[in-house]
C-alpha cells in the first residue's frame, strides 16, 4: 500500500468563505475600453436601464465610482436606491472633500432612503495629481492617517448617544451629536482597498471590507488575506470581508471566449506593433521549437495567463486605461470555477463587469452568477464541494491552452504587421 497522502478534493478548504455576493460598477453611458467615451457623458435612459438590468441579473451591489471629473457618487447612489428595490449602492468617497460628520449625515440619509442598503468605499487617493485637482496636497501616508480618523468619526457619529468634541491633526469640532441615525442604528459597512502598506494597516485594522484590485495570482491573494487577518487580529477587530475584482470574458465555450478576448484586446487600442510588444514582449520562448512553435508558446499561459483563467491581455493592450482589471476568460463553467477558486481563498465579495457593459450584465445574470451560487448552495447543503471546479477547464487543461493559442494566432495573423518587434 502506498504511503502517499490522499487529498480529499471534495473537502471545502478551511480558508473558503461561506458566501459570495456580487458587485458591479454603475454605468452612466455605453462607453467602455472598446468604444471610448461615445455618446453622452451621462445618459439617463441608459443609466436607468443599466441599474434595472443589474437588479434583474441578481447583482447584490453596485459601486458608484468617484473622480474629479465624474458624476457625484452620493447623488447617483441615492438615485440608484430609488430606481431599485434590492440593489445596494456603494458610495465611493474621498475623505479630503467631505467633512466626516457631513459624510456620516449623508450616508445615514442614504441608508434611510434605501432602507438599509448603503455601503461606503473610502478612497484615500493613489495618485497625487488627481488629489490635487480638488485641493488635496497631503502625501499618501498622511492621507491614510486622515482616513483612519475619518472612519473613527463616521462610526462615532452614527452611534454616540451624547454630544462629543474632537481636536486632532486633521479634524476639530465642538459638541457634535447625537448624529442622524442609520436605518438599523448600526454603522454603514465601510470598505477600503489598496496594495500599499498604509492601505493594509488602516484597512485591515478598521474597515469592514478590504478590497484587492491588483490582478495578482491567487497565491498572492491568499498571502495578502493572511496579512489582512493578522493586522485585524492585532487591532482586536473581526476579519474584514475580502473583495476581489475581475473582468469576465465569457461565452458558451472556451474557444469562443478566447476569440472574444483577443478581439476585445484589439478593439481596446492595441496597434499591430503594440499587440506584438504587449503579447510577445515578456514571453518565454523555447529555442528548440520552430518559429511557429515559438509563436504559439509566446501566447501560452506562462506570462499573460495564470491561475485557472486569469488573463492580463486587456490590461496590456490598454496600459490599464479605463480601469481594466485582470480578465477571467473561458466558458461560463470555466469562469464560474475561477470565481469559486477565489471564494476558496477567502473572498466573499466579487466585483465583475464586462466590456460590452449592458449586454454582459444580462449574460452574467443568466449564465454565470447562477453557476457560482449553485456551487455555494451545494456546499451549504452537503458541506462538500460540488463538481464545478473538478470538471471545469483552465490553464492546466491542454484543450483550454490550445483554444487560447489558436485564438492568439488568429488575432496576430489578422493584424497588418509592420516592422518586427
Amino acid at each position: 500500500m502506498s504511503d502517499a497522502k490522499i487529498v480529499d478534493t471534495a473537502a471545502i478548504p478551511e480558508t473558503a468563505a461561506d458566501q459570495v455576493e456580487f458587485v458591479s460598477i454603475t454605468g452612466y453611458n455605453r462607453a467602455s475600453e472598446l468604444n471610448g467615451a461615445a455618446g453622452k457623458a451621462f445618459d439617463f435612459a441608459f443609466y436607468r436601464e443599466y441599474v434595472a438590468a443589474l437588479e434583474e441579473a441578481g447583482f447584490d451591489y453596485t459601486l458608484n465610482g468617484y473622480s474629479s471629473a465624474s458624476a457625484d457618487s452620493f447623488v447617483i447612489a441615492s438615485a440608484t436606491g430609488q430606481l431599485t428595490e434590492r440593489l445596494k449602492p456603494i458610495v465611493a468617497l474621498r475623505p479630503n472633500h467631505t467633512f466626516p460628520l457631513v459624510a456620516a449625515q449623508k450616508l445615514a440619509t442614504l441608508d434611510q432612503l434605501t432602507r438599509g442598503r448603503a455601503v461606503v468605499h473610502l478612497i484615500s487617493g493613489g495618485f497625487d495629481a488627481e488629489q490635487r485637482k480638488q485641493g488635496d496636497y497631503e502625501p499618501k501616508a498622511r492621507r491614510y492617517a486622515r482616513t483612519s480618523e475619518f472612519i473613527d468619526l463616521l462610526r462615532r457619529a452614527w452611534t454616540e448617544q451624547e454630544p462629543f468634541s474632537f481636536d486632532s491633526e486633521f479634524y476639530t469640532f465642538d459638541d457634535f451629536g447625537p448624529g442622524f441615525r442609520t436605518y438599523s442604528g448600526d454603522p454603514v459597512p465601510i470598505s477600503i482597498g489598496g496594495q500599499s502598506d498604509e492601505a493594509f494597516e488602516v484597512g485591515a485594522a478598521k474597515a469592514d471590507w478590504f478590497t484587492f484590485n491588483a490582478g495578482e495570482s491567487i497565491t498572492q491573494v491568499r498571502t495578502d488575506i493572511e496579512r489582512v487577518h493578522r493586522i485585524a487580529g492585532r487591532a482586536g477587530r473581526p476579519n474584514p470581508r475580502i473583495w476581489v475584482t475581475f473582468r469576465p470574458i465569457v461565452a458558451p465555450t472556451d474557444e469562443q471566449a478566447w476569440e472574444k478576448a483577443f478581439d476585445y484586446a484589439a478593439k481596446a487600442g492595441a496597434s499591430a506593433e503594440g499587440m506584438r510588444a504587449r503579447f510577445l514582449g515578456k514571453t518565454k520562448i523555447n529555442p528548440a521549437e520552430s518559429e511557429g512553435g515559438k509563436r504559439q508558446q509566446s501566447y501560452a499561459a506562462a506570462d499573460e495567463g495564470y491561475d485557472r483563467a486569469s488573463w492580463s491581455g486587456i490590461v496590456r493592450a490598454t496600459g490599464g486605461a479605463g480601469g481594466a482589471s485582470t480578465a477571467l476568460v473561458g466558458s461560463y463553467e470555466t469562469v464560474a470555477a475561477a470565481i469559486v477558486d477565489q471564494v476558496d481563498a477567502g473572498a466573499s465579495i466579487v466585483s465583475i463587469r464586462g466590456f460590452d457593459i449592458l449586454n454582459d450584465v444580462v449574460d452574467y445574470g443568466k449564465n454565470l452568477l447562477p453557476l457560482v451560487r449553485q456551487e455555494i448552495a451545494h456546499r451549504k447543503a452537503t458541506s462538500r464541494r460540488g463538481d464545478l471546479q473538478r470538471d471545469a477547464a483552465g490553464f492546466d487543461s491542454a484543450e483550454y491552452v490550445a483554444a487560447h493559442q489558436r485564438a492568439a494566432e488568429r488575432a496576430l495573423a489578422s493584424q497588418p504587421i509592420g516592422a518586427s518587434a
Side-chain angles (χ1 to χ4, degrees):
M1 184 179 222
S2 170
D3 292 331
K5 183 178 179 180
I6 296 174
V7 177
D8 183 358
T9 57
I12 300 171
E14 292 182 3
T15 57
D18 61 2
Q19 64 173 317
V20 62
E21 292 186 300
F22 288 96
V23 181
S24 186
I25 191 167
T26 306
Y28 313 138
N29 55 49
R30 296 183 185 275
S32 77
E33 292 87 349
L34 304 186
N35 59 22
K40 300 176 183 178
F42 190 95
D43 184 334
F44 179 74
F46 174 83
Y47 155 72
R48 182 167 55 186
E49 182 181 9
Y50 183 80
V51 295
L54 286 176
E55 183 151 83
E56 177 67 23
F59 279 82
D60 300 285
Y61 304 90
T62 186
L63 173 64
N64 301 276
Y66 187 88
S67 75
S68 60
S70 70
D72 181 79
S73 57
F74 271 110
V75 177
I76 294 296
S78 181
T80 298
Q82 299 312 298
L83 290 170
T84 60
E85 293 295 326
R86 299 178 305 279
L87 192 66
K88 302 177 181 72
I90 304 173
V91 175
L93 172 63
R94 289 181 184 168
N96 62 292
H97 64 61
T98 306
F99 194 74
L101 303 180
V102 177
Q105 182 182 34
K106 288 167 149 314
L107 288 163
T109 304
L110 175 65
D111 201 51
Q112 291 282 358
L113 285 171
T114 59
R115 298 176 300 283
R117 288 183 278 155
V119 179
V120 60
H121 178 64
L122 296 180
I123 305 171
S124 297
F127 301 99
D128 291 347
E130 171 64 14
Q131 293 298 117
R132 290 169 183 164
K133 289 181 179 181
Q134 293 189 316
D136 185 12
Y137 292 87
E138 297 284 5
K140 178 179 281 191
R142 282 177 55 81
R143 291 200 293 265
Y144 274 99
R146 179 178 59 198
T147 296
S148 180
E149 285 192 4
F150 196 94
I151 293 172
D152 293 341
L153 292 173
L154 285 180
R155 291 193 174 122
R156 291 188 69 182
W158 292 324
T159 59
E160 290 276 4
Q161 300 298 314
E162 300 293 335
F164 67 99
S165 300
F166 195 77
D167 185 8
S168 76
E169 183 179 9
F170 300 104
Y171 303 111
T172 301
F173 56 86
D174 294 318
D175 297 325
F176 172 82
F180 189 64
R181 291 294 188 256
T182 62
Y183 182 75
S184 68
D186 296 326
V188 166
I190 297 170
S191 167
I192 289 181
Q195 297 295 115
S196 68
D197 289 342
E198 295 90 349
F200 273 96
E201 290 297 326
V202 175
K206 294 193 174 183
D208 302 296
W209 299 3
F210 194 88
T211 307
F212 298 110
N213 190 26
E216 301 284 359
S217 70
I218 199 165
T219 299
Q220 185 62 53
V221 168
R222 290 191 184 100
T223 299
D224 289 343
I225 290 174
E226 290 173 0
R227 181 182 179 186
V228 168
H229 290 175
R230 284 196 302 272
I231 296 170
R234 288 201 307 267
R237 289 271 301 165
N239 289 335
R241 296 183 66 186
I242 301 298
W243 175 0
V244 293
T245 299
F246 297 99
R247 306 291 295 274
I249 302 175
V250 290
T253 69
D254 293 323
E255 188 94 24
Q256 291 169 328
W258 279 118
E259 289 285 343
K260 185 188 290 189
F262 280 97
D263 177 58
Y264 282 4
K267 288 179 179 177
S271 65
E273 285 302 307
M275 285 189 73
R276 289 182 65 88
R278 286 162 179 148
F279 295 126
L280 298 176
K282 296 183 179 179
T283 52
K284 300 172 183 177
I285 302 300
N286 181 352
E289 293 186 337
S290 66
E291 186 61 33
K294 292 178 185 179
R295 181 179 287 187
Q296 283 189 335
Q297 188 172 346
S298 72
Y299 285 104
D303 279 314
E304 89 273 9
Y306 52 95
D307 294 333
R308 185 188 296 271
S310 296
W311 189 61
S312 62
I314 299 292
V315 177
R316 294 186 182 189
T318 63
S325 302
T326 299
L328 296 176
V329 183
S331 69
Y332 300 117
E333 292 79 10
T334 297
V335 172
I339 291 172
V340 176
D341 292 343
Q342 296 287 328
V343 174
D344 282 347
S348 64
I349 301 164
V350 179
S351 179
I352 57 172
R353 64 185 178 100
F355 295 92
D356 183 3
I357 60 174
L358 180 57
N359 291 329
D360 281 342
V361 163
V362 175
D363 193 19
Y364 296 163
K366 288 181 178 178
N367 300 303
L368 183 60
L369 272 61
L371 291 174
V372 177
R373 289 186 167 133
Q374 286 166 18
E375 170 64 19
I376 301 304
H378 175 87
R379 293 178 175 202
K380 289 182 177 179
T382 67
S383 299
R384 307 284 284 174
R385 280 173 163 170
D387 298 334
L388 177 67
Q389 291 161 287
R390 185 198 66 193
D391 295 344
F395 279 118
D396 61 352
S397 159
E399 293 82 1
Y400 181 85
V401 171
H404 170 262
Q405 292 173 332
R406 286 192 295 270
E409 285 295 305
R410 284 191 288 269
L412 186 61
S414 70
Q415 299 300 314
I417 303 299
S420 61

